Amino acid sequence: MIILKYYRIALLMGRKVSAGLLLTGLIAMSCSKATKANSGDQPPADTLQNKPALSGRLVYHSYSCYECNDSRIMLYDFATNTNTVLSAQWRISNPMNAHFSPDGKKIVFMGVDAETDQWDIFIWEIGDTAQPVNLTKALTKSRNEDPKFSADGASVIFKSKGKLMRMDTLGNIIAQYIVAQQEASMPYFADHDQYILYAAETNDISSIYSYNIADKNVKTVFAAPGIYAYYPIAINDSSFIFTRWYSFANHHDQLYMGYLNARTPVALPFNEPSGDYSDACPVDPEYILLSSTRSGSKGGYDMYIADIRTGAIWSMDLYNAAVNTKNNELGACYHER
């Protein structure tokens, strides 16, 4: 999440955060535990031809700059090698952060409704000629963001005015989850919807927490002095991937494997301290999609597929040259057919 550090400059307006504020369905997958980052040779992007063979679909968003408000939601189909602008005819400004339903038939996403003139959560059936449905239209004078489906597809968790909320797919509010932090962001269901992973700030430093839905207990699963961390994405019943600064002095974003039991996170092996790596999305037990400003990118953030075990990394250019552009490609979500 940019050359502009969009994860850290825009509360409530997407998925990255500002200095004092923080912004932001478990896909049924398992994931091998990654090994610690290797300081040896890293396979370079754009040169590895033995790229993973994928047949699913990728939804993501692309914009020229965050303040430009020109985000579009895209759908890339690996099987047909087609890339489509989903949002071209929608009466919604700046749509972004789409997430597939477990059956892959629908997406939820956030955008600015032309009627309400606020950030709202929408649901849309892929291929439908009708406009997306605004699920949070009744939540007036609010900012509704960061939607993610539950594992059963029956509900959506999201952020509303800094609070963690849950609704059904018709927009009826099911629950509000109370946490101590004033601004809770980027919620994501984990372990068959038993937990909610989220990010929140304390003294201008963001950490990662888990909320136990059954007993309402909140546990810190990653916090480090002077290290900003955000965007947790569950990849199996015990692990998640999140973004954090390389170090107190180096604020380049890096991807780490974290654990619900709060054991020490592990840096993923493709990270480089001179580039930003963010917006992880699991593909299968070996691979994730991610966005990075690593050397060779066409614009700000390009999209890549990476092996979390070996550190091999492939640009999406090796699949379709139209995916990565001079704009920023972010917010990947993958669904296997």
Side-chain angles (χ1 to χ4, degrees), residues 22-24 146 157-159 162-164 177-190 195-202 206-212 216-222 229-234 240 242 260:
L22 185 59
L23 164 78
T24 36
D146 309 342
I157 193 165
F158 66 105
K159 167 189 174 180
K163 307 302 180 185
L164 303 180
Y177 303 105
I178 306 300
V179 297
Q181 297 85 10
Q182 183 176 1
E183 189 76 30
S185 299
M186 308 175 193
Y188 202 98
F189 285 114
Y195 298 90
I196 302 166
L197 291 165
Y198 69 96
E201 285 188 357
T202 301
S206 177
S207 302
I208 309 297
Y209 303 88
S210 70
Y211 179 96
N212 186 314
K216 303 180 182 180
N217 181 55
V218 174
K219 179 168 64 175
T220 303
V221 289
F222 174 78
Y230 40 92
Y231 202 63
I233 299 293
F240 61 96
F242 68 101
L260 287 176

Side-chain angles (χ1 to χ4, degrees), residues 139-300:
L139 298 177
T140 58
K141 298 181 180 179
S142 183
R143 299 187 68 94
N144 307 296
E145 304 158 302
D146 309 342
K148 296 291 185 295
F149 275 105
S150 59
D152 62 7
S155 62
V156 175
I157 193 165
F158 66 105
K159 167 189 174 180
S160 183
K161 292 196 291 188
K163 307 302 180 185
L164 303 180
M165 307 284 284
R166 187 175 188 170
M167 61 184 167
D168 64 22
T169 55
L170 297 176
N172 301 305
I173 301 301
I174 298 172
Q176 177 176 340
Y177 303 105
I178 306 300
V179 297
Q181 297 85 10
Q182 183 176 1
E183 189 76 30
S185 299
M186 308 175 193
Y188 202 98
F189 285 114
D191 194 6
H192 303 284
D193 302 340
Q194 295 186 78
Y195 298 90
I196 302 166
L197 291 165
Y198 69 96
E201 285 188 357
T202 301
N203 298 324
D204 294 334
I205 290 296
S206 177
S207 302
I208 309 297
Y209 303 88
S210 70
Y211 179 96
N212 186 314
I213 293 175
D215 63 17
K216 303 180 182 180
N217 181 55
V218 174
K219 179 168 64 175
T220 303
V221 289
F222 174 78
I227 303 294
Y228 213 98
Y230 40 92
Y231 202 63
I233 299 293
I235 58 174
N236 61 23
D237 292 348
S238 60
S239 306
F240 61 96
I241 294 177
F242 68 101
T243 305
R244 53 155 283 181
W245 286 347
Y246 180 82
S247 68
F248 177 79
N250 183 341
H251 293 179
H252 281 298
D253 293 337
Q254 308 281 276
L255 288 172
Y256 272 66
M257 180 80 73
Y259 304 94
L260 287 176
N261 65 4
R263 60 181 276 200
T264 302
V266 177
L268 295 180
F270 47 76
N271 287 315
E272 294 174 337
S274 59
D276 289 308
Y277 296 78
S278 63
D279 293 29
C281 169
V283 172
D284 63 19
E286 300 177 14
Y287 302 110
I288 63 170
L289 281 149
L290 62 96
S291 294
S292 178
T293 63
R294 63 184 283 125
S295 176
S297 65
K298 292 180 178 178

